[in-house]
Amino acid sequence: MKKRPSTLAWTLCLFGVALLLVGYLARPEKVATPGAVAVSGSIGGNFTLTDQDGNTVTNKSWPGKYQLVYFGFTHCPDVCPLGLNKIAEALNKMPKDTAAKIQPIFITVDPERDTAAGLKEYVGLFYPTLVGLTGTPQQIEQVKDQFKVYAQKQGDDEKDYMVNHSSYTYLMSPKGPLLEVYSHDTTAQEMADGIRKWVEEQ
Ligand code: NI
């Protein structure tokens, strides 16, 4: 003999459906920007570093701005200059009021050589509002871990060495969480289009 599902069963079932729906609606919206790369795990977090003017800054030092974060080192022969030029080019391709909502940030993976003064000279070459951040080796290790950045010193010379490093650009929302990651192969146009989707449609 078939038993009719009890009211309790129906209630539980509806509750389950409601939970699924809430989960679906609350999922992070991923914009499929051509050239953007998929990432897993959490990226970013609280950091305290020193900017190119010697000021102590944190991840909360640019309230209301989207942070566009790139890691590298000033002695980098080509990867970093290309990456930073691409960021500048992407910002220049956007309407001015959109670009004004973006804070581009360069974080060194070579704190032993990249002093605040050295960074000041360097970031000025690329974009007027580009900020350069350095810190103690421990501070830099922490922020590298938070962004899952790979960086490895090459060679034994104390002063003349290379640093192999990953070269992703991270778009962080003003409230903190990661929105999108662009790779070295993402073009300036793709990056500009991707950023505009997040900044202009919200
Ligand atoms: Ni580099």
Side-chain angles (χ1 to χ4, degrees):
M1 184 181 145
K2 267 190 190 170
K3 234 180 131 187
R4 289 188 63 198
S6 69
T7 312
L8 179 65
W10 276 113
T11 309
L12 283 175
C13 182
L14 282 174
F15 188 62
V17 169
L19 270 184
L20 280 176
L21 190 65
V22 166
Y24 180 76
L25 292 173
R27 80 200 190 287
E29 191 186 334
K30 275 290 157 210
V31 172
T33 296
V37 293
V39 284
S40 57
S42 80
I43 297 272
N46 295 330
F47 60 75
T48 300
L49 295 167
T50 303
D51 77 4
Q52 74 279 2
D53 294 313
N55 301 314
T56 300
V57 296
T58 74
N59 52 300
K60 300 199 171 80
S61 291
W62 304 278
K65 296 230 180 173
Y66 291 77
Q67 294 175 22
L68 195 58
V69 185
Y70 186 86
F71 289 80
F73 66 115
T74 64
H75 291 71
C76 185
D78 47 18
V79 176
C80 290
L82 282 172
L84 292 171
N85 270 324
K86 186 168 69 186
I87 286 171
E89 206 185 320
L91 291 169
N92 286 330
K93 284 177 185 290
M94 298 173 198
K96 279 210 167 72
D97 56 336
T98 303
K101 291 178 187 156
I102 317 291
Q103 179 56 59
I105 300 171
F106 175 74
I107 303 180
T108 184
V109 295
D110 185 14
E112 286 88 356
R113 286 186 300 186
D114 285 341
T115 59
L119 280 171
K120 190 176 176 76
E121 219 170 282
Y122 188 72
V123 293
L125 299 172
F126 297 98
Y127 193 77
T129 62
L130 177 63
V131 159
L133 302 182
T134 186
T136 64
Q138 291 76 14
Q139 286 173 322
I140 295 296
E141 275 311 309
Q142 188 198 317
V143 73
K144 275 165 57 190
D145 280 351
Q146 288 169 326
F147 283 82
K148 296 186 169 57
V149 169
Y150 163 82
Q152 188 66 53
K153 227 188 227 188
Q154 301 293 309
D156 298 328
D157 196 298
E158 292 254 313
K159 284 179 182 155
D160 186 20
Y161 56 85
M162 286 282 296
V163 186
N164 282 345
H165 64 94
S166 51
S167 62
Y168 292 108
T169 303
Y170 305 85
L171 179 65
M172 313 301 290
S173 89
K175 292 190 179 111
L178 173 79
L179 296 176
E180 208 158 61
V181 177
Y182 309 103
S183 79
H184 191 65
D185 298 325
T186 307
T187 66
Q189 188 63 58
E190 286 168 341
M191 191 185 284
D193 292 345
I195 294 169
R196 288 186 65 180
K197 263 190 224 161
W198 289 102
V199 177
E200 295 175 6
E201 291 173 14
Q202 281 187 6

